[in-house]
Amino acid sequence: MSDQFKIGDHVGWNSEAGQVSGHIIAVHHEDFDWKGYRHRASAKVPQYEIKSAKTSHVAVHKGTALHLIDD
């Protein structure tokens, strides 16, 4: 099971553009539709909506793709 993050956590992840960071704005524990795609989520494997600190773009990732950043 991946680490459990919470709303407000500052996290980082790798993207095509390199290392990105932002804050979690939502946590999904059930399957959901987002930007035309069905995302799978559960209590054991949640998906996180993260708002980029640099661009304000919102991305969705599983916890295994994220790491916590100490502020």
Side-chain angles (χ1 to χ4, degrees):
M1 180 166 62
S2 64
D3 292 330
Q4 297 288 314
F5 300 101
K6 62 185 182 310
I7 292 174
D9 281 352
H10 188 197
V11 295
W13 68 98
N14 291 321
S15 77
E16 295 107 11
Q19 190 66 19
V20 181
S21 69
H23 289 88
I24 294 176
I25 58 172
V27 180
H28 297 275
H29 294 111
E30 296 177 352
D31 295 349
F32 64 102
D33 294 321
W34 191 74
K35 292 192 175 183
Y37 294 94
R38 187 76 170 159
H39 291 264
R40 303 292 179 190
S42 67
K44 287 187 176 183
V45 185
Q47 293 245 10
Y48 301 93
E49 284 185 48
I50 310 112
K51 185 174 184 180
S52 168
K54 186 174 183 180
T55 66
S56 295
H57 173 80
V58 176
V60 174
H61 293 292
K62 291 184 179 180
T64 54
L66 305 173
H67 59 273
L68 194 61
I69 297 175
D70 295 326
D71 287 323

